[in-house]
Amino acid sequence: MRGRPVAPILDEVSARAHKRLLALQLGDIMKKSKISKKRLAEKLHASASQVDQLLDPDNTTVTLEALERVAHAVGKRLKVEFA
């Protein structure tokens, strides 16, 4: 087989899928709670571009600490588990 090994590719695809799901969930929470990007940035003491990174489904570099802060800012808990 040419190219990269399958396991790293699978890990990358899985990370993107998880981030896409989190970004969609956050977008839904913001919409239901009527929290704008600007307001979320204010709550997080962050810039608009940092909020855009959180909402970007392809950006998998978001830390658990950042996700925890976001969850708190929108009145939710972050739940992470192994399945």
Side-chain angles (χ1 to χ4, degrees):
M1 178 179 200
R2 294 182 148 192
R4 299 185 336 197
V6 174
I9 293 171
L10 182 59
D11 290 345
E12 181 180 331
V13 169
S14 180
R16 287 186 186 279
H18 285 108
K19 179 55 187 337
R20 184 171 297 277
L21 178 60
L22 287 170
L24 289 171
Q25 287 177 339
L26 179 56
D28 287 345
I29 291 166
M30 289 171 65
K31 190 174 188 177
K32 287 177 186 173
S33 302
K34 296 182 175 140
I35 299 172
S36 67
K37 287 184 191 181
K38 182 180 177 182
R39 179 66 185 128
L40 182 57
E42 290 169 355
K43 286 180 156 209
L44 294 171
H45 305 289
S47 68
S49 65
Q50 288 172 311
V51 171
D52 285 338
Q53 288 177 350
L54 293 169
L55 293 168
D56 179 355
D58 294 321
N59 182 343
T60 58
T61 63
V62 177
T63 65
L64 286 174
E65 181 181 356
L67 292 173
E68 189 70 51
R69 288 178 48 226
V70 169
H72 179 73
V74 297
K76 299 291 182 181
R77 282 186 316 114
L78 177 66
K79 181 180 176 183
V80 178
E81 62 184 39
F82 291 99

